[in-house]
Amino acid sequence: DTGVSQNPRHKITKRGQNVTFRCDPISEHNRLYWYRQTLGQGPEFLTYFQNEAQLEKSRLLSDRFSAERPKGSFSTLEIQRTEQGDSAMYLCASSPGGGIGNTEAFFGQGTRLTVV
Amino acid sequence: GQNIDQPTEMTATEGAIVQINCTYQTSGFNGLFWYQQHAGEAPTFLSYNVLDGLEEKGRFSSFLSRSKGYSYLLLKELQMKDSASYLCAAHTNDYKLSFGAGTTVTVRA
């Protein structure tokens, strides 16, 4: 297993455009998380999935943001009508789920979004 | 809401010891994670404390006091490669991690 994979690694887009990021979690990991990280800050929770079900969305996730995990495997995060404030590193993480011993979250390398 | 506090920056000399403190106020607390993050890279797991006390793992140790809402990460025999950001994260019973802003540790020769 190669770990959590995110694509693309970098994305530069013009304000107002839509962007979509993909995350491939570690296989057989039930839980998948999206976080956003800006310079000098820790990751901020956006949303997470248990298999294909989206269980929680942060209030940070405006209606321009949508995330899916259609078959309980890979996930996509789409941002519509991007704004300069959306510029950040978008991190995906997965964990096995099912008990305290399976809580460690493994992070992908992230997608760095720059909105110009 | 969740409140996680840790110092912004720390500087230490190669071979020394540094202790990074973290205080937290959360609901539904399960345990406390420490992650290491080098600039431009993903956070990598260091430790997870559920019970009170000290857990040692090589040069890194982590301590938790649930009653005080307090944890620390102890880095011993510092090496230049330990220069990084160290993230404290509370794991809560809704399966989320709430992160602090991170402590940037700079190791000087």
Side-chain angles (χ1 to χ4, degrees):
Chain A
D1 198 330
T2 56
V4 179
S5 175
Q6 291 188 247
N7 288 288
R9 292 291 308 277
H10 302 274
K11 178 71 176 179
I12 300 174
T13 190
K14 291 184 178 179
R15 190 174 51 187
Q17 297 294 306
N18 300 343
V19 293
T20 301
F21 311 140
R22 176 178 170 126
C23 171
D24 288 89
I26 294 172
S27 58
E28 299 180 357
H29 275 195
N30 294 328
R31 297 203 183 106
L32 186 148
Y33 303 81
W34 285 99
Y35 285 85
R36 180 172 67 187
Q37 187 175 25
T38 53
L39 195 63
Q41 298 298 315
E44 296 175 294
F45 170 80
L46 293 179
T47 188
Y48 90 100
F49 293 84
Q50 173 83 20
N51 298 312
E52 67 275 12
Q54 187 173 20
L55 296 188
E56 187 170 343
K57 291 168 56 174
S58 165
R59 57 183 171 79
L60 293 174
L61 217 64
S62 76
D63 57 4
R64 297 185 297 106
F65 288 70
S66 62
E68 296 182 342
R69 194 183 184 196
K71 297 182 180 179
S73 57
F74 74 92
S75 176
T76 57
L77 177 68
E78 181 183 16
I79 309 174
Q80 296 181 324
R81 305 181 303 281
T82 52
E83 301 172 356
Q84 286 189 320
D86 297 332
S87 295
M89 175 76 84
Y90 289 84
L91 292 165
C92 176
S94 69
S95 70
I100 292 176
N102 290 318
T103 51
E104 179 187 340
F106 297 82
F107 282 85
Q109 294 287 78
T111 294
R112 181 167 294 284
L113 173 66
T114 303
V115 181
V116 298
Chain B
Q2 322 291 8
N3 193 27
I4 319 292
D5 287 316
Q6 53 183 128
T8 304
E9 295 179 335
M10 301 184 75
T11 302
T13 306
E14 199 173 12
I17 298 173
V18 69
Q19 178 174 314
I20 307 170
N21 296 324
C22 171
T23 57
Y24 63 89
Q25 290 179 302
T26 66
S27 53
F29 179 79
N30 274 343
L32 198 291
F33 279 96
W34 284 97
Y35 280 82
Q36 179 191 61
Q37 187 176 29
H38 286 98
E41 297 184 10
T44 54
F45 170 82
L46 290 178
S47 66
Y48 179 53
N49 293 64
V50 175
L51 303 176
D52 285 357
L54 184 69
E55 292 198 8
E56 299 184 72
K57 193 183 295 184
R59 295 188 299 112
F60 293 2
S61 303
S62 57
F63 172 85
L64 177 67
S65 169
R66 297 176 70 107
S67 61
K68 295 181 180 178
Y70 168 69
S71 172
Y72 68 73
L73 179 69
L74 194 69
L75 314 180
K76 294 180 279 190
E77 301 169 18
L78 279 173
Q79 302 175 8
M80 300 298 287
K81 67 179 181 180
D82 297 330
S83 292
S85 178
Y86 291 85
L87 300 163
C88 167
H91 177 245
T92 50
N93 58 14
D94 53 2
Y95 307 113
K96 293 189 309 189
L97 293 179
S98 297
F99 285 86
T103 299
T104 300
V105 171
T106 303
V107 181
R108 299 176 304 190

